[in-house]
Amino acid sequence: MDTLETRELRYFLAVAEELHFGRAAERLGMAQPPLSRAIQQLERRLGVALLTRNRRGVALTGAGEVLLHEGRAALDAATAAARRTRRAGGADAPGGSGNRLVLAVKAAAAHDLLQKLLDAYAAQPDAAEIEVLPSGMCEQEEMLRDGRADVALMHAPFDSLAGFDSEELMREGQIAVLPAGHPLAARRTLTLAEVGDIPGLPLARWPRHGVYPPGPGPEIRDQTQLAQLIALGRTVTVFPESARSWLWAAHATVPVTDAPPVVTHIAWPPHSRSVALAGLIRTATGL
Amino acid sequence: MDTLETRELRYFLAVAEELHFGRAAERLGMAQPPLSRAIQQLERRLGVALLTRNRRGVALTGAGEVLLHEGRAALDAATAAARRTRRAGGADAPGGSGNRLVLAVKAAAAHDLLQKLLDAYAAQPDAAEIEVLPSGMCEQEEMLRDGRADVALMHAPFDSLAGFDSEELMREGQIAVLPAGHPLAARRTLTLAEVGDIPGLPLARWPRHGVYPPGPGPEIRDQTQLAQLIALGRTVTVFPESARSWLWAAHATVPVTDAPPVVTHIAWPPHSRSVALAGLIRTATGL
DNA sequence: GCCCTGTCATACCCGGCGGGTATCACCGAA
DNA sequence: TTCGGTGATACCCGCCGGGTATGACAGGGC
């Protein structure tokens, strides 16, 4: 009566994202007519218009926008429930809820901290097995939300901690990473404005939630590619200090004085009850 | 494949809470055999044992515990999606997502602050309609989670803000509320230890998440009952200072020096995108 | 020891509904 | 005008969710 079936949510989200019944149906692996009907039934059940089908395409109504956000959260929660339950499956120790934790980490970020954390936790007597799940740029949020991960290392202000519990682990400044031979590499400090306005050396751009910000610089896919482009003198970037651990000889670094500090947090879904997770958090905050 | 149907969640939660297939089926308004079968199918689909059916009753496995927590969150999210979408339904202003907000408030708490907030917000040019939803003691969390409310006033450390975004609005000390004639009413200050150990005047107990803490004092249902019992000299309590706004002539108050301060927050689900909500939060923090 | 009771599982049947195919109605562009 | 592309409608079918009847099994009372 007042709860939505996940099938309805899946269908609506597909249509709301594609804004096209045919493509949405294809994505769902079904035919278009039953999808149309399902959406109509959903609208009738809710007593609300979700989509406006006008000439040439489909658009979301206000209520449709709401359902797009809320529905995504609900669907993530449902798949998270399935995944976490499955993961807790093998371990049937009474009381304990699973002896394996999945930790999502941005690839090549906070490497030293991660190493220390894993070592310290593994030394605990009742340590669970930790699976490190490398993730893309801002993917940890999503992974925590849909249950692919149980806990994550996240970096404010890049990642949003909204909706998670978290503890601060480390705070560091940022540095500009330049080609070794560049004139500015001789400077003792730089400002964001200076780094962003180097003639012939545009700032690298990497995706935030799947989209690249506008600008002249190259679009970065992974850290290796970024390192190479900098070494070749094609781009420049601003990174947390801990990036020094993966720099090449062909790189130079200069502190950026007015860049906001990068704060590494350990974050987890707020309703978590696992003892293994509690142990990991305790270890992390005690470092 | 890797997502649970809300029907499955409803069924499992009913069984997990009742720990009895027959009663769970009755609560769900269905017969017992199909429920048994549905749970078996769920276990097979997940590849995980959720319940141990031994002689005389049912118990949760570790994985079952996990699904109990995660599933409740997922089901709440699904019903929240339905409710909020329905609520946004009437208002179909392009871009805007609904022009009505439901604000959950603990009955008779922070009355002055609430009055100021409502007045200030109503004075805004683009103010949405605010529906004030009175809630029980720790019910606001649940209401925000399952979509009955869009935003809430919550009181740390009584309510848990975990999983919500929030802003601090007010911080206040606590006072002991005593019968007017009581000897201790003449004191200038009291400590928690003193209030908790008054001969013949036990501390009132009110429910935290549905259960009453143990103790000799009376179990309180609502504020009026509490006020009456105090006036009659049957109990005593410690309350935030703002409780003064609803006290009777037969009550006396004494500051409690070592009670933790009570912090009133405005809290909302972290993924909210509504402009009306943003306006209310701006108004609240600007008070 | 018996039977009886309470519990969950099994067996079987049926109706509804979710999904498929074929087709229509509509609009915009050539 | 016609044609391509869109979503909606019509109709059919098979599956599965739900019901009833019954079984299996373990305790507790007499």
Side-chain angles (χ1 to χ4, degrees):
Chain A
M1 189 47 148
D2 49 29
T3 190
L4 295 174
E5 292 302 318
T6 66
R7 186 177 48 83
E8 299 179 294
L9 288 176
R10 265 200 316 276
Y11 289 4
F12 175 75
L13 290 185
V15 175
E17 283 166 12
E18 299 281 351
L19 290 179
H20 188 291
F21 279 80
R23 280 195 299 274
E26 188 183 7
R27 208 175 91 180
L28 293 166
M30 65 188 292
Q32 169 260 321
L35 179 59
S36 284
R37 205 184 44 182
I39 300 291
Q40 286 175 304
Q41 284 175 354
L42 176 60
E43 288 180 305
R44 242 181 307 129
R45 239 165 56 86
L46 289 173
V48 160
L50 300 171
L51 300 166
T52 61
R53 295 87 152 158
N54 40 18
R55 50 187 166 282
R56 227 66 183 173
V58 175
L60 287 170
T61 65
E65 298 267 5
V66 171
L67 187 57
L68 179 57
H69 284 108
E70 298 279 335
R72 225 195 301 258
L75 198 56
D76 279 348
T79 80
R83 277 203 253 258
R84 298 216 171 94
T85 304
R86 243 194 217 114
R87 205 175 307 144
D92 220 313
S97 49
N99 59 6
R100 203 162 120 245
L101 280 178
V102 178
L103 171 66
V105 193
K106 211 171 299 183
H111 178 73
D112 296 342
L113 177 67
L114 176 60
Q115 192 67 56
K116 274 199 300 184
L117 172 59
L118 292 178
D119 289 348
Y121 181 69
Q124 301 265 344
D126 55 348
E129 184 187 341
I130 302 271
E131 179 183 336
V132 176
L133 182 64
S135 72
M137 270 307 164
C138 289
E139 245 179 347
Q140 295 110 310
E141 292 176 49
E142 203 183 327
M143 287 181 161
L144 281 185
R145 238 183 281 281
D146 72 10
R148 278 175 294 173
D150 299 307
V151 55
L153 293 185
M154 299 175 78
H155 302 270
F158 304 125
D159 306 314
S160 158
L161 296 168
F164 302 115
D165 281 2
S166 63
E167 291 282 349
E168 179 174 333
L169 296 185
M170 185 176 67
R171 186 177 285 261
E172 55 186 329
Q174 297 197 63
I175 55 177
V177 184
L178 302 152
H182 195 275
L184 281 182
R187 292 275 297 271
R188 294 200 47 246
T189 66
L190 286 168
T191 64
L192 277 180
E194 288 174 317
V195 178
D197 193 34
I198 307 178
L201 209 58
L203 263 178
R205 294 176 294 139
W206 54 80
R208 294 284 281 259
H209 299 284
V211 294
Y212 287 88
E219 299 188 344
I220 300 304
R221 293 226 144 270
D222 59 65
Q223 174 257 100
T224 312
Q225 182 191 9
L226 174 65
Q228 179 158 28
L229 287 173
I230 296 174
L232 291 172
R234 310 296 277 264
T235 190
V236 64
T237 195
V238 175
F239 241 68
E241 289 167 7
S242 59
R244 288 209 174 95
S245 64
W246 52 263
L247 290 185
W248 301 0
H251 293 148
T253 65
V254 179
V256 177
T257 51
D258 61 344
V262 173
V263 185
T264 303
H265 292 83
I266 185 168
W268 62 95
H271 53 83
S272 297
R273 290 263 174 280
S274 147
V275 289
L277 176 57
L280 180 66
I281 294 165
R282 208 174 333 105
T283 304
T285 54
L287 280 181
Chain B
M1 191 44 146
D2 50 27
T3 190
L4 295 175
E5 293 301 317
T6 67
R7 184 176 49 83
E8 299 179 294
L9 288 176
R10 265 199 317 275
Y11 290 4
F12 175 75
L13 291 184
V15 176
E17 284 165 11
E18 300 280 350
L19 290 178
H20 189 289
F21 279 80
R23 281 195 298 273
E26 188 183 7
R27 207 175 91 180
L28 293 166
M30 65 187 292
Q32 169 260 319
L35 178 59
S36 285
R37 205 184 43 179
I39 300 290
Q40 285 176 303
Q41 284 175 352
L42 176 60
E43 287 179 306
R44 242 180 307 128
R45 238 164 57 84
L46 289 174
V48 160
L50 300 170
L51 301 165
T52 62
R53 295 88 154 158
N54 40 18
R55 51 185 166 282
R56 229 62 181 174
V58 176
L60 287 171
T61 66
E65 299 267 7
V66 170
L67 187 56
L68 179 56
H69 285 109
E70 298 277 335
R72 226 194 301 257
L75 198 56
D76 279 349
T79 81
R83 277 202 254 258
R84 297 215 171 95
T85 304
R86 250 199 210 106
R87 204 177 307 142
D92 219 312
S97 48
N99 58 6
R100 205 163 120 243
L101 280 178
V102 178
L103 171 65
V105 192
K106 210 170 301 183
H111 178 74
D112 297 341
L113 178 68
L114 176 61
Q115 192 68 56
K116 275 199 300 182
L117 173 58
L118 292 178
D119 289 348
Y121 181 68
Q124 302 264 345
D126 56 347
E129 184 187 340
I130 302 271
E131 179 183 338
V132 176
L133 182 65
S135 71
M137 270 308 165
C138 288
E139 246 180 346
Q140 294 110 310
E141 292 176 49
E142 203 183 324
M143 287 181 162
L144 280 185
R145 239 183 281 280
D146 71 10
R148 277 175 295 173
D150 300 307
V151 55
L153 292 186
M154 300 177 78
H155 303 270
F158 304 125
D159 305 314
S160 158
L161 295 168
F164 302 115
D165 281 2
S166 63
E167 291 282 348
E168 179 175 332
L169 296 186
M170 186 176 65
R171 186 176 286 260
E172 56 186 329
Q174 297 198 64
I175 55 178
V177 184
L178 303 151
H182 195 275
L184 281 182
R187 292 274 298 272
R188 291 200 48 247
T189 67
L190 286 168
T191 66
L192 277 180
E194 287 173 316
V195 178
D197 194 31
I198 308 178
L201 208 58
L203 262 178
R205 294 176 293 139
W206 53 80
R208 294 284 284 258
H209 298 284
V211 294
Y212 287 88
E219 298 188 346
I220 301 302
R221 292 225 144 271
D222 59 64
Q223 175 257 97
T224 312
Q225 182 192 9
L226 174 65
Q228 181 157 28
L229 287 173
I230 295 174
L232 292 171
R234 310 296 277 265
T235 190
V236 64
T237 194
V238 175
F239 241 69
E241 287 167 8
S242 59
R244 289 207 172 96
S245 63
W246 53 264
L247 290 186
W248 301 2
H251 292 148
T253 65
V254 179
V256 177
T257 51
D258 61 344
V262 173
V263 185
T264 304
H265 291 83
I266 185 168
W268 61 95
H271 53 83
S272 296
R273 290 262 174 281
S274 148
V275 289
L277 175 57
L280 180 66
I281 295 165
R282 209 174 331 107
T283 303
T285 54
L287 279 181

